[in-house]
Amino acid sequence: MDLRERFGANVRRARKRHGWSQEELGERCELHRTEVSLLERGKRRPQLETLVKLAGGLGVTPDRLCEGVSWSPATADEKGRLDVVAVPFSSGRVKRPPAPRPSR
């Protein structure tokens, strides 16, 4: 599994947890259904704006959609590496602080 496939699997898993179709997710994120499909299948590399839209639409943080992807800096003998690691996907819901109570 490569970087794009891992990202796509994370998006698909989060979408299915909501019970949404690709079209429903696309509407929530202002993306076309085809774009969602390409991303989920690892056929397209997400841009930063797309990552933020998907995370917001799914109610997760952007790092949750990148779970299982890491990068190692270069050493003297080799180039930097992107790795896909086995990390279980968590819900990653964004927790908002409770609203302040009115003072008396």
Side-chain angles (χ1 to χ4, degrees):
M1 180 177 284
D2 73 3
L3 168 90
R4 291 178 295 189
E5 290 170 338
R6 179 60 193 230
F7 177 82
N10 291 344
V11 170
R12 183 181 310 109
R13 195 174 297 118
R15 174 181 61 80
K16 288 188 174 200
R17 282 189 177 177
H18 286 289
W20 297 336
S21 67
Q22 290 176 342
E23 188 168 1
E24 288 172 305
L25 177 59
E27 287 174 6
R28 291 174 182 275
C29 301
E30 298 179 1
L31 298 170
H32 194 276
R33 178 200 56 78
T34 305
E35 176 79 3
V36 174
S37 174
L38 289 168
L39 289 164
E40 285 189 0
R41 291 182 292 130
K43 302 297 183 188
R44 180 162 297 172
R45 184 178 301 136
Q47 294 196 9
L48 180 58
E49 181 179 340
T50 304
L51 170 64
V52 172
K53 284 181 174 185
L54 286 168
L58 290 164
V60 297
T61 58
D63 64 313
R64 293 295 182 205
L65 296 180
C66 295
E67 272 188 337
V69 175
S70 69
W71 181 80
S72 302
T75 64
D77 299 328
E78 61 183 43
K79 294 172 59 176
R81 287 186 357 193
L82 279 172
D83 291 315
V84 176
V85 294
V87 174
F89 187 83
S90 62
S91 70
R93 292 232 172 248
V94 177
K95 294 183 181 174
R96 292 183 171 79
R101 294 183 181 194
S103 58
R104 294 184 182 199

